[in-house]
Amino acid sequence: MDVPSSVKDKAEGVEAELEQLQKENAALRLMLQVMRNKYKMLSEAYFRESNSQVPTICRGLTRFDLCEDQHSHKNILIPQLQLAANSSQVFVETDPRDESHIVKDGFQWRKYGQKVTKHNPFPRAYFRCSMAPGCPVKKKVQRCMEDKNFLMVTYEGQHNHEVNPSIGQSLSSPSSSATTSISGFPNSVLDNPLRSAIDLDLNLSSENSSSNGNGNGNDDDYNNKRSMEDHIAVGT
DNA sequence: CGTCTTTGACCAGCGC
DNA sequence: GCGCTGGTCAAAGACG
């Protein structure tokens, strides 16, 4: 069966394009892996440093947890802080222009006060859990002075009730507009604010780690990845 | 009408 | 005791 040359050329062109895209895809994947590695190293270095030398706003910082909001697809940087026995502190990324202190965390909160504190020009909002009448949990929400993109949320106490799954989707009052939520978290996580941060596995998967050159027989790809790795290493 | 937010007042703890 | 600061209360208003 004869194939017209024009069609054959087209097919070859598409094949070449596909091959090119595959190479780019591999290169991007490698770049992502390298960045993940670097992030992991930085995170560990920060963890070590924060244990020996406590910075100002990150007192008690043990490590960062990078989460992605499933609804807004925003990354949420959540350092888990070691505070009092029954309290925890998380950082939530929001739009700095958003002055509401609404953080979707799976619980329903009632605001009972707001105060401007001495060391932070941004007002601190006080919330009480209103999902159950006698729930003792409170939280304080204040914009981070060093980085306006983040809200500093301090939880105190433990919930004496189950989380309502429907509230996890939209727990804020209708009149309020949340720019960031962690409502996509499973209830087992939302059950306790002390465990509100989800760890992401920043380690390279076994499949990915094999692509360090040894697991891939293609020399071009290997060189490509090496040069990409070198480029990223120099770039940082 | 019930619920929630706002906001000024009040209270407690702490340092001087 | 006094002043400062953070946390809470509660009345008033907004909103659905």
Side-chain angles (χ1 to χ4, degrees):
Chain A
M1 213 162 74
D2 259 2
V3 180
S5 60
S6 61
V7 175
K8 201 175 177 181
D9 287 345
K10 235 181 213 177
E12 283 176 0
V14 170
E15 271 181 14
E17 195 177 343
L18 183 63
E19 195 176 342
Q20 180 67 25
L21 285 174
Q22 282 174 342
K23 278 187 180 178
E24 283 180 15
N25 190 26
L28 286 170
R29 197 173 297 164
L30 177 74
M31 194 188 298
L32 181 63
Q33 289 164 11
V34 173
M35 288 178 74
R36 279 176 169 170
N37 260 344
K38 285 180 170 295
Y39 178 84
K40 189 187 171 192
M41 285 187 296
L42 270 173
S43 173
E44 286 172 353
Y46 194 91
F47 171 44
R48 280 194 300 270
E49 191 174 348
S50 65
N51 276 345
S52 57
Q53 183 184 354
V54 181
T56 51
I57 65 157
C58 298
R59 185 171 297 276
L61 184 66
T62 55
R63 63 174 177 166
F64 286 109
D65 291 289
L66 186 63
C67 305
E68 186 184 35
D69 178 13
Q70 292 180 2
H71 292 257
S72 65
H73 297 287
K74 267 187 174 180
N75 283 331
I76 306 171
L77 190 61
I78 301 182
Q80 295 180 311
L81 301 182
Q82 292 175 332
L83 302 173
N86 60 346
S87 68
S88 67
Q89 192 169 40
V90 299
F91 285 70
V92 178
E93 184 178 3
T94 65
D95 188 339
R97 291 164 299 181
D98 179 25
E99 293 185 5
S100 71
H101 289 87
I102 305 298
V103 176
K104 288 186 182 180
D105 51 11
F107 296 94
Q108 202 165 8
W109 301 95
R110 182 195 185 99
K111 189 176 181 180
Y112 66 89
Q114 182 167 311
K115 199 88 177 174
V116 176
T117 56
K118 189 182 177 184
H119 298 104
N120 192 329
F122 302 104
R124 175 185 295 169
Y126 298 90
F127 294 89
R128 238 192 294 266
C129 180
S130 60
M131 282 182 72
C135 184
V137 178
K138 296 172 189 173
K139 75 169 178 180
K140 293 177 281 190
V141 181
Q142 189 171 30
R143 193 160 291 283
C144 187
M145 196 167 56
E146 278 75 6
D147 190 342
K148 295 168 189 165
N149 291 315
F150 289 92
L151 282 179
M152 198 161 42
V153 186
T154 307
Y155 294 93
E156 287 176 20
Q158 296 214 348
H159 294 277
N160 59 1
H161 56 86
E162 297 296 320
V163 63
N164 183 353
S166 62
I167 291 175
Q169 300 304 314
S170 172
L171 83 158
S172 60
S173 65
S175 61
S176 57
S177 62
T179 57
T180 295
S181 77
I182 51 176
S183 56
F185 287 2
N187 291 338
S188 57
V189 173
L190 295 171
D191 204 17
N192 186 347
L194 298 175
R195 290 185 228 118
S196 61
I198 295 178
D199 293 350
L200 281 187
D201 183 12
L202 294 175
N203 294 320
L204 297 176
S205 68
S206 55
E207 178 192 14
N208 291 339
S209 58
S210 68
S211 65
N212 248 350
N214 297 334
N216 194 330
N218 189 331
D219 284 342
D220 283 346
D221 270 0
Y222 174 60
N223 292 334
N224 194 12
K225 288 173 181 179
R226 282 297 302 270
S227 61
M228 181 70 72
E229 204 165 343
D230 290 341
H231 173 73
I232 293 170
V234 167
T236 52

